[in-house]
Amino acid sequence: MSNPLKQLTEQGQAVWLDFVSREFLAKGELQKLIERDGLTGVTSNPSIFEKAMGHGSDYDASLEAFLERADAEPVDVYEHLAIEDIQQAADILRPVYDRLEGRDGYVSLEVSPYLALDTRATLDEARRLWQAVNRPNLMVKVPGTPEGAVAIRKLVEEGINVNVTLLFDRNAYMAVAEAYIAGLEARLHQGKDISRLASVASFFISRVDGVLDKLIDERKGEEAELGELRGKVAIANAKLAYQDYQRLIQSPRWKVLEAKGAHPQRLLWASTGSKDPAYPDTLYVDQLIGPDTVNTMPPKTMDAFRDHGTAAPMLSTDIEAAQRVVDATARFGLDLDGVAKRLVKDGARQFEDAADALLGAVGQKRLDFLGERLNAADYRLPQDLNEAVEARLDEARREGWSRRLWQGDASLWTGRDEDQWVGWLAAAQGRQADPVALKALADAVRKEGLDTVVLLGMGGSSLGPEVLANTLGTATGGLTLKVLDSTDPAQITALEEQLDLRKTLFLVSSKSGSTLEPEILRAYFHQAVERTLGAGEVQQRFVAITDPGSKLEASATAEGYRAIFQGDPHIGGRYSVLSVFGMVPLALLGHSVADFFQVTQPMVLACGPSAPPAINPGIRLGVVLGEAVRAGRDKVTLIASPGVASLGAWLEQLLAESTGKQGKGIIPVDLEPLGEPGVYGRDRVFVSLVLAGEEDAERDSRLQALAAAGHPVVDIRLARAELIGQEFFRWEVATEVAGAVIGINPFDQPDVEASKIKTRALTDGYERDGRLAGDEPLLEEGALTLFGDADLQGQDTARAAIKAHLARLQPGDYLAVLAYLERNAVHEEALSAMRDSIRDSKRVATVGGFGPRFLHSTGQAYKGGPNSGVFIQITADAQNDLEIPGRSLSFGIVEAAQAKGDLEVLAERGRRYLRVHIKGGDIDAGLQQIVELVEAAVA
Ligand SMILES: O=C(CO)[C@@H](O)[C@H](O)[C@H](O)[C@H](O)COP(=O)(O)O
Ligand SMILES: O=C[C@H](O)COP(=O)(O)O
């Protein structure tokens, strides 16, 4: 008996296989089907590739060889592997294609399922795939959505073979048939050949019955009439579509094209495997046999038909009966159009799900392949948080967060201007800073014998460079980098005393170009350089980094600065480290910016738009942080090994300033010693950052104890300090994502502005009146004067006031010590001592900061975040104050105005605060006294 599959060919129907895999091709199975069954085509789709690549190891060697050549995102890895398969299948089918002169012998590859509703992107992708596969017998698969139809018309016009997929109803079919014809006409109009073009319209069959049968089964009491329709509608619908096809190819319009050699767009029956075991396994082949059609069968259906199929021409029989079936669906209120619409949506969703799984699997293999080239992160989460995280990751997958983040889709956050702030993504790919120009500057200054660079800048303009200097140090031949982000006269003097101005370069770094601190510091050091080297030398010692059009740019240009590097106005300050704001300092430190980006890329690619959330290191971390906040764990406690410890200050700004607003957000906790579980409340997440070689058994066992006690613990590990750039990027993505989970705009800093405005008003007032308005103190005691909010009024000793203030700390609150003093080791030690005693006795998180530095960082969350902060502000009479050239202000006055402005905003926001002012100049003694009072208050 002859092979029923071969009989299909005799009936004019092409037999295609709805399957492909590497192993299948390698074993010669496709060739066998061509020879034995007369097979003339192959279709693939995301589900098919998911089955092939998503499991097992058949693709591993090829994947590794590809990644050896160049690292890539999951989608590029997938595409490379898929294209190899498609090319191989196309080559196997090439003799068929040649023999049939382009009428058959095609292999289909689908465009990304994420683009089904985007004409432009579909067009670009189809063109790209067409070129990449580079085989005449390729068909690019494009969904038959209204958006797809526009792309189809254009692709056909350009001479690209198209397989229109996801068709479920005759209206959609007619629309794409029109697109095909219009595309051919346009091509013909341009005088181009239309005889080597082919197209199929893939009509999905079994899924229609799948939905309708279910609807029918749900209609109780109507079984008798409705039951008749079970398993009939899909075939009836397809038969009527075939009638449409025949009318079309008889039309005069088509005849014109036919005369020029055009091939009709054949109807292809897809989804032809029987899903209901009650139906014959060859149902959707047997009933749909007719000339000029294709049936693409899954292997099982093909085997079944070969075994016991009946090749009779059924497609044009019983058309009236088919019409009656379709009419009956309408009569019984079974909405065929609605079902088709739903199936298009579900179908697109199904392919997206498959693509997600496929990209997840391929992406995971890439991560395994990278090993230590990518910083590791492990999570120990309590069960309830873990469940919330996994659920959110799945939601993020379904909602395409990875892609939307890279597109800057504002609806991921609050739908305001977030799309204007995603320049940091391009910067992370090395697209903002020019390594050659930066190296030229570094080489030139070194040649001139300069050995130190002082960066004058705040927050986002200073913290990243500080991390780079502390983590990577000065490379051979590089300059030493010092950051000055204070208005404290003692701190300025301490730095100045270390400088040899003959060998110092100043980097004035300000995105806005109008920030007060760098503005007055540069005036100060202009004068200092002028005094030492003479007026003519000043410009050569100053370099500016600022956004285009800023006030700083204008004056640096007017003054003839040695160089001006422009930032990207679409990057906010705290996201700017991988732009010129971090890269100019990196180059001056003597490091290669190009190499830095190279070793950072594995993380950028791992967090890329095609990396599904579950394997996307930035998204996973962000979801953990965001869900933790939702569960009341909003204190992200950073525990870093010495080599990467300075990342903490940068992370503080990123997390606090991005998320701490509208009464919500993350409170980062840096530089708190790691304690036993008993000293912590249930409001913590611990993040451990360890540089290889700095492992510490004691730390590990403490973290283990915390994890065992039910605290979330995140372990991040860097194999080398050079990989610090990966953490910048991971955390930037994570912060964005945490912002999306929390529901805030992670790019603005409304409350930082508030204290800047207050400070400006105070300094303007001082320049006008020669004095800063004073406040009414709570009490004075020796060298200390105390000020406090209304609830502290009436306390009559420093000890009682501090005790009363700290007594307000409740579980979930945090204590902040904010010191407007020189940031030096002694003062840091004092702040730590206060924090330790309060943390251990009150079991609350503690944070510390030096003003005005923290104003540009965590200050946002203290004012705009949750009202859970209890603040101790420490100020002191300025000693050896410094005048600001050109202003009737001193640095000491500015610092005092900043402290006052800060406190006023805290007061306005109803925060609990106490200010302790040290009079008389012995700051260390005053500070020691405060430490003792605090210790006594919590004893
Ligand atoms: O669209 C084509 C061929 O053009 C097919 O590859 C099509 O995607 C498949 O037949 C269907 O996705 C299979 O659907 P189902 O059998 O899972 O319902
Ligand atoms: O984090 C940003 C600081 O407020 C400094 O801003 P800037 O770079 O515009 O001077």
Side-chain angles (χ1 to χ4, degrees):
M1 210 180 94
S2 92
N3 178 347
L5 288 166
K6 280 207 154 161
Q7 290 172 15
L8 288 182
T9 314
E10 285 154 25
Q11 299 280 348
Q13 181 168 65
V15 175
W16 286 13
L17 180 70
D18 204 13
F19 176 75
V20 70
S21 84
R22 177 102 2 148
E23 189 195 11
F24 172 79
L25 294 172
K27 283 189 171 159
E29 298 286 337
L30 178 60
Q31 186 62 40
K32 202 156 114 197
L33 295 183
I34 295 171
E35 287 163 13
R36 186 185 57 196
D37 301 321
L39 182 114
T40 54
V42 166
T43 50
S44 68
N45 63 39
S47 309
I48 289 170
F49 275 121
E50 195 278 321
K51 284 190 195 90
M53 288 177 206
H55 315 268
S57 56
D58 290 350
Y59 290 80
D60 288 3
S62 186
L63 174 142
E64 287 174 13
F66 178 67
L67 289 173
E68 284 298 352
R69 288 198 295 278
D71 193 9
E73 261 208 69
V75 70
D76 298 321
V77 181
Y78 147 72
E79 233 179 72
H80 170 77
L81 299 175
I83 287 172
E84 280 184 345
D85 282 359
I86 294 294
Q87 285 176 327
Q88 207 187 332
D91 291 345
I92 296 170
L93 277 159
R94 183 63 190 263
V96 175
Y97 171 82
D98 289 339
R99 175 170 51 83
L100 299 175
E101 295 177 334
R103 285 191 303 282
D104 213 336
Y106 289 93
V107 180
S108 297
L109 175 62
E110 191 154 337
V111 294
S112 162
Y114 308 118
L115 310 176
L117 301 177
D118 185 337
T119 302
R120 179 84 260 141
T122 297
L123 264 175
D124 290 347
E125 168 120 328
R127 288 174 182 138
R128 198 172 52 73
L129 291 177
W130 176 251
Q131 277 184 0
V133 173
N134 193 23
R135 298 291 189 275
N137 55 335
L138 172 73
M139 272 190 181
V140 181
K141 279 177 77 177
V142 176
T145 55
E147 295 80 0
V150 180
I152 289 160
R153 186 203 162 286
K154 188 79 191 124
L155 292 169
V156 170
E157 180 185 335
E158 292 174 16
I160 296 176
N161 304 316
V162 179
N163 173 344
V164 186
T165 189
L166 283 179
L167 294 171
F168 296 91
D169 72 327
R170 291 164 62 197
N171 292 335
Y173 164 53
M174 290 318 286
V176 300
E178 164 62 32
Y180 178 61
I181 290 174
L184 287 177
E185 287 170 342
R187 196 169 164 76
L188 192 61
H189 190 70
Q190 293 162 24
K192 292 189 180 143
D193 178 28
I194 55 170
S195 71
R196 290 303 269 195
L197 252 178
S199 180
V200 292
S202 293
F203 218 82
F204 281 46
I205 311 297
S206 74
R207 293 189 198 181
V208 174
D209 278 348
V211 174
L212 279 165
D213 287 357
K214 200 152 169 274
L215 289 177
I216 290 168
D217 293 346
E218 281 162 10
R219 297 271 285 263
K220 300 287 170 231
E222 294 172 277
E223 290 86 353
E225 304 98 317
L226 273 171
E228 286 291 295
L229 297 179
R230 268 190 122 265
K232 299 258 168 48
V233 182
I235 290 166
N237 203 29
K239 283 185 167 184
L240 297 182
Y242 187 63
Q243 295 297 305
D244 296 334
Y245 165 81
Q246 285 188 318
R247 271 191 295 278
L248 209 67
I249 57 165
Q250 293 310 324
S251 69
R253 192 175 165 203
W254 176 255
K255 292 291 173 196
V256 174
L257 295 168
E258 191 180 59
K260 298 285 178 188
H263 300 305
Q265 181 186 51
R266 288 177 293 172
L267 271 161
L268 174 148
W269 312 129
S271 180
T272 53
S274 297
K275 309 295 183 300
D276 186 335
Y279 298 153
D281 53 4
T282 55
L283 177 68
Y284 300 115
V285 187
D286 293 339
Q287 298 298 314
L288 296 171
I289 300 166
D292 283 338
T293 57
V294 183
N295 195 319
T296 193
M297 301 172 215
K300 215 169 122 206
T301 307
M302 191 173 278
D303 291 344
F305 194 83
R306 185 190 301 109
D307 181 64
H308 50 264
T310 312
M314 302 295 285
L315 197 53
S316 297
T317 61
D318 287 335
I319 299 305
E320 293 78 15
Q323 187 63 57
R324 277 200 300 279
V325 166
V326 170
D327 292 347
T329 58
R331 208 171 51 251
F332 287 115
L334 297 169
D335 173 15
L336 216 47
D337 286 348
V339 166
K341 282 202 182 73
R342 186 175 129 196
L343 281 168
V344 173
K345 252 175 97 188
D346 291 354
R349 174 84 262 166
Q350 194 172 316
F351 283 160
E352 283 186 21
D353 288 346
D356 289 344
L358 171 59
L359 295 173
V362 168
Q364 185 56 52
K365 288 194 176 190
R366 170 183 170 268
L367 300 182
D368 297 343
F369 171 79
L370 284 175
E372 290 205 327
R373 278 173 284 180
L374 184 78
N375 295 347
D378 294 312
Y379 294 85
R380 286 176 275 178
L381 305 181
Q383 196 187 342
D384 48 352
L385 180 58
N386 193 43
E387 282 167 9
V389 164
E390 293 306 324
R392 181 72 72 170
L393 284 169
D394 197 49
E395 178 192 324
R397 177 191 66 75
R398 279 182 276 115
E399 293 183 356
W401 285 20
S402 308
R403 291 186 297 286
R404 288 167 61 204
L405 187 125
W406 281 80
Q407 288 158 359
D409 178 349
S411 69
L412 200 49
W413 298 283
T414 65
R416 287 201 282 273
D417 71 341
E418 289 93 337
D419 57 333
Q420 294 304 305
W421 293 105
V422 286
W424 55 278
L425 292 160
Q429 296 165 312
R431 305 221 305 259
Q432 207 278 320
D434 171 8
V436 178
L438 302 192
K439 186 168 183 321
L441 172 72
D443 288 348
V445 296
R446 218 165 31 222
K447 239 184 175 158
E448 290 166 26
L450 305 192
D451 62 11
T452 303
V453 51
V454 175
L455 187 149
L456 311 175
M458 303 304 293
S461 299
S462 63
L463 294 166
E466 189 177 81
V467 178
L468 290 168
N470 291 341
T471 310
L472 302 178
T474 299
T476 315
L479 280 68
T480 303
L481 178 82
K482 296 181 187 298
V483 170
L484 184 55
D485 56 355
S486 175
T487 49
D488 183 80
Q491 187 154 346
I492 298 168
T493 305
L495 174 80
E496 194 178 0
E497 282 170 1
Q498 296 169 29
L499 300 178
D500 176 352
L501 289 178
R502 288 164 308 153
K503 294 186 173 176
T504 304
L505 181 76
F506 289 88
L507 210 47
V508 188
S509 188
S510 169
K511 274 201 133 277
S512 61
S514 57
T515 298
L516 175 66
E517 295 89 337
E519 191 175 302
I520 57 181
L521 287 168
R522 101 185 158 101
Y524 180 81
F525 284 104
H526 266 204
Q527 189 182 65
V529 173
E530 191 176 322
R531 276 195 196 129
T532 314
L533 300 174
E537 285 303 306
V538 175
Q539 316 84 296
Q540 278 308 300
R541 297 311 174 95
F542 280 81
V543 169
I545 312 175
T546 188
D547 281 359
S550 77
K551 192 171 135 200
L552 171 59
E553 186 187 55
S555 63
T557 308
E559 287 163 31
Y561 271 24
R562 142 170 232 149
I564 301 173
F565 292 92
Q566 286 190 332
D568 174 355
H570 295 291
I571 303 177
R574 56 189 176 272
Y575 298 91
S576 68
V577 61
L578 298 174
S579 75
V580 283
F581 286 90
M583 295 304 104
V584 174
L586 182 73
L588 290 168
L589 282 162
H591 296 281
S592 157
V593 171
D595 291 355
F596 181 78
F597 277 115
Q598 202 184 356
V599 297
T600 301
Q601 288 320 288
M603 183 62 80
V604 178
L605 294 167
C607 299
S610 72
I615 60 148
N616 183 315
I619 296 194
R620 180 171 279 277
L621 177 59
V623 165
V624 168
L625 298 179
E627 284 302 329
V629 169
R630 290 169 60 90
R633 292 186 177 273
D634 61 353
K635 315 295 185 314
V636 174
T637 307
L638 306 162
I639 311 291
S641 74
V644 286
S646 72
L647 192 69
W650 178 84
L651 276 177
E652 273 189 322
Q653 181 194 22
L654 183 71
L655 292 169
E657 205 173 29
S658 303
T659 67
K661 53 198 68 158
Q662 295 165 33
K664 310 183 215 180
I666 294 170
I667 302 298
V669 179
D670 188 26
L671 303 177
E672 222 189 36
L674 192 52
E676 302 292 342
V679 301
Y680 297 109
R682 313 296 301 169
D683 57 348
R684 303 269 191 158
V685 174
F686 294 90
V687 179
S688 151
L689 292 157
V690 176
L691 181 62
E694 297 186 336
E695 293 79 4
D696 173 348
E698 166 73 17
R699 244 173 62 110
D700 289 350
S701 79
R702 288 198 169 204
L703 287 168
Q704 180 48 38
L706 289 169
H711 291 287
V713 177
V714 182
D715 293 288
I716 293 179
R717 189 172 182 281
L718 287 76
R720 295 179 295 131
E722 287 72 24
L723 301 182
I724 193 74
Q726 294 194 8
E727 291 314 308
F728 288 139
F729 191 71
R730 182 211 301 270
W731 283 90
E732 284 173 349
V733 173
T735 304
E736 297 309 294
V737 170
V741 175
I742 297 167
I744 47 82
N745 174 355
F747 299 107
D748 65 3
Q749 51 281 330
D751 304 281
V752 169
E753 309 299 334
S755 43
K756 279 189 186 171
I757 293 167
K758 287 243 187 261
T759 300
R760 183 73 71 176
L762 288 164
T763 52
D764 286 353
Y766 184 89
E767 290 196 286
R768 198 180 52 238
D769 313 331
R771 53 181 279 277
L772 278 185
D775 292 313
E776 196 55 42
L778 281 179
L779 62 105
E780 296 198 42
E781 195 174 284
L784 304 183
T785 308
L786 277 69
F787 305 79
D789 59 63
D791 290 348
L792 296 178
Q793 302 300 321
Q795 300 296 339
D796 51 7
T797 64
R799 183 177 174 153
I802 290 175
K803 195 172 169 78
H805 186 47
L806 298 180
R808 298 192 283 188
L809 283 163
Q810 297 298 315
D813 282 346
Y814 67 96
L815 181 282
V817 192
L818 309 173
Y820 286 82
L821 304 173
E822 179 187 356
R823 185 161 70 100
N824 61 27
V826 174
H827 298 170
E828 278 173 346
E829 181 60 34
L831 259 58
S832 294
M834 284 182 230
R835 290 174 61 185
D836 290 359
S837 56
I838 294 167
R839 195 269 315 263
D840 291 350
S841 56
K842 299 280 182 184
R843 300 179 73 226
V844 294
T846 65
V847 300
F850 285 86
R853 172 179 154 105
F854 79 84
L855 285 180
H856 296 265
S857 158
T858 46
Q860 167 60 41
Y862 299 159
K863 298 173 188 105
N867 191 357
S868 48
V870 169
F871 299 90
I872 300 179
Q873 188 191 69
I874 303 174
T875 54
D877 288 342
Q879 301 303 301
N880 305 319
D881 203 357
L882 301 172
E883 292 306 314
I884 301 168
R887 306 285 295 261
S888 45
L889 274 177
S890 65
F891 282 99
I893 295 297
V894 169
E895 187 182 24
Q898 288 176 314
K900 188 166 160 53
D902 183 23
L903 208 68
E904 284 179 9
V905 180
L906 287 175
E908 271 176 21
R909 305 289 155 92
R911 295 333 198 202
R912 292 160 285 180
Y913 70 88
L914 175 72
R915 172 182 166 207
V916 187
H917 181 75
I918 305 166
K919 288 178 294 184
D922 193 346
I923 296 173
D924 292 357
L927 206 48
Q928 192 47 42
Q929 200 186 338
I930 302 170
V931 172
E932 284 160 17
L933 285 165
V934 164
E935 284 173 351
V938 296

